Structures are given as C-alpha cells and as structure tokens.
Amino acid sequence: MEKGHPSKERTFVAIKPDGIQRTLIGEIIKRYERMGLKMVAIKIMVATEDHIEKHYTLDPAWRTVTGEKTIASYKKKGLTPPSEDPLEITAKILANLKTYMTSGPILAMVWQGAHAVEVVRKVTGGTEPLTSDVGSIRGDFVLDSYSMSDTDNRAVRNLIHASGSVDEAEMEINHWFKPEELIEYRLVQEQIIYDVNIDGILE
Ligand code: ADP
Ligand code: MG
C-alpha cells in the first residue's frame, strides 16, 4: 500500500495505570484488534511527570479546550463548575494527571489502519466514564465522573489515553516512540480489508 493511503493512518493509545491494575490489557487490546487495526508499536513503561506534562501540552490548545469541555459538562448536568476560568481548571487537572499517570506502569501503543484516530476514539468512548456510551471501553469498564474526581481532587480515571486528532497522534507518537520502534509489516487480513480486487480466495 503506497504512503499516504488511508490505511496508513496511525494513532497513539496508552493504557493508563488504572487499566493495568484492573487487569484489562487483553480486553482493551482485543477491542482495537478485532476492528481490523494493526498494532505497530508497544512498550510497557513508567513515565516521568515531565514526560506526562509534555504529552498533554503538545497541543497548545489543550489547556483551553479541556477546561471548556469540563465547564460545559457541569452546566449540561445543571451543576456549577469548580471555576469559570478554563485555564484555572486545567492547571489543576494537569497537576492531578501527573500523579495519576506516573502512579504505575502504563502500556504505550501505536495502532494503524483506516480512520485509526476516529475509530479508536469511538470504541474508547467519551472522556467522562459517567457519560461515555454503553458498549465503549470507558462506558463498560469504569465508574467515575468529573464531580467525584473533583470532590477528591484527582484526575478522572478512565483507563485509556487515545489521540484526539491526526495531528495530535503524530506529535504523540514522536513523543513516546523512536522511529525505529514502529514496525512496518503486513497483516494477512489486510488483503480482505483493503485489497481493491478481493481476489485470490477461491481455489
Ligand atoms: P481525553 O483523554 O478523552 O482526550 P482530555 O484530553 O480532555 O480527554 O483530558 C485528558 C485527561 O485528563 C482525561 O482522560 C482525564 O483523565 C483527565 N481529565 C479531563 N478532564 C478532567 C476533569 N474535569 N476532571 C478531572 N480529570 C479530567
Ligand atoms: Mg485528549
């Protein structure tokens, strides 16, 4: 398949420390694998706080967007957000994320396939487990909410990180992996998923 083909899209996924402690590695990988995505990189590691802060701030808009998303979610439920200032909210979230994401090993992965970023986000589910769709990983396997994590002054525990856009994915893959850690190979099933002629099956 030539470079730039849709089947070459890649996304960064990390099973967070709570996902590993909940022994959900196999369950989570199964969800992405069975869609037809191909794992092209994987490693287990303990991240530093500095690495986590850089990861979340690779996108300069993350602080504003995440703060605004939190405020909107509180208001949608008829609740008062902890602050009206998105940046004040994300300063706290970031500090709590450093504690959360360095509390134990995490599993960093790169998945490749058509619409990899979008389909991984779909199967992973929305950020807040309380409102994540039933059937999504976050919807099916976690109990948590912004109001509970704010009461306890901690990050929302939602098992997984998944890149939010193709640009974010590219930055995150470079942040977590060296180019030589990404394996280029063919999966037999790609013949069925992507081959234009779908031939060579019948004997
Ligand atoms: P996502 O992981 O779905 O892309 P964000 O990029 O908005 O979500 O936020 C990054 C992570 O920060 C979330 O996965 C979650 O662990 C944590 N988080 C986000 N918003 C809040 C919040 N309002 N309160 C506590 N933790 C939060
Ligand atoms: Mg995000």
Side-chain angles (χ1 to χ4, degrees):
M1 212 77 67
E2 76 277 11
K3 260 200 157 49
H5 188 271
S7 64
K8 299 279 185 192
E9 185 170 310
R10 286 173 168 175
T11 190
F12 173 72
V13 178
I15 302 183
K16 296 177 175 181
D18 54 329
I20 297 209
Q21 292 304 314
R22 298 274 316 279
T23 63
L24 289 171
I25 292 174
E27 184 66 49
I28 291 168
I29 286 181
K30 181 177 85 181
R31 300 285 183 117
Y32 305 133
E33 194 178 33
R34 73 183 183 185
M35 275 193 292
L37 293 172
K38 172 167 68 178
M39 183 194 282
V40 297
I42 185 166
K43 65 180 158 192
I44 192 162
M45 60 187 286
V46 180
T48 62
E49 290 198 357
D50 185 47
H51 195 75
I52 295 303
E53 170 148 5
K54 282 206 188 96
H55 162 78
Y56 280 110
T57 52
L58 286 168
D59 172 9
W62 180 83
R63 290 176 203 261
T64 311
V65 171
T66 301
E68 285 170 351
K69 198 163 90 173
T70 301
I71 292 169
S73 152
Y74 267 89
K75 292 192 171 164
K76 199 172 163 201
K77 295 181 197 130
L79 302 171
T80 311
S83 161
E84 287 291 342
D85 176 6
L87 295 181
E88 198 180 314
I89 289 184
T90 19
K92 212 164 179 199
I93 293 175
L94 194 55
N96 287 334
L97 274 172
K98 287 197 243 177
T99 308
Y100 171 33
M101 295 291 283
T102 61
S103 63
I106 65 179
L107 195 72
M109 298 176 275
V110 179
W111 287 89
Q112 180 179 316
H115 311 290
V117 171
E118 211 175 320
V119 294
V120 163
R121 289 289 289 199
K122 182 177 69 169
V123 165
T124 301
T127 306
E128 187 192 24
L130 177 65
T131 58
S132 309
D133 288 338
V134 172
S136 70
I137 305 169
R138 285 167 169 173
D140 284 355
F141 293 103
V142 219
L143 287 171
D144 207 0
S145 63
Y146 291 144
S147 55
M148 189 161 76
S149 67
D150 284 341
T151 301
D152 295 341
N153 190 22
R154 60 169 176 76
V156 153
R157 292 180 193 149
N158 53 13
L159 306 174
I160 297 162
H161 168 81
S163 306
S165 67
V166 173
D167 288 345
E168 199 176 284
E170 201 177 316
M171 290 189 283
E172 291 177 353
I173 291 167
N174 286 332
H175 181 60
W176 289 86
F177 288 96
K178 300 188 196 102
E180 63 269 26
E181 291 176 312
L182 301 167
I183 312 295
E184 297 210 22
Y185 68 101
R186 205 176 309 124
L187 268 185
V188 170
Q189 68 167 357
E190 288 177 271
Q191 176 93 17
I192 300 303
I193 301 175
Y194 303 119
D195 190 86
V196 178
N197 300 319
I198 196 160
D199 53 6
I201 298 172
L202 296 174
E203 294 188 331

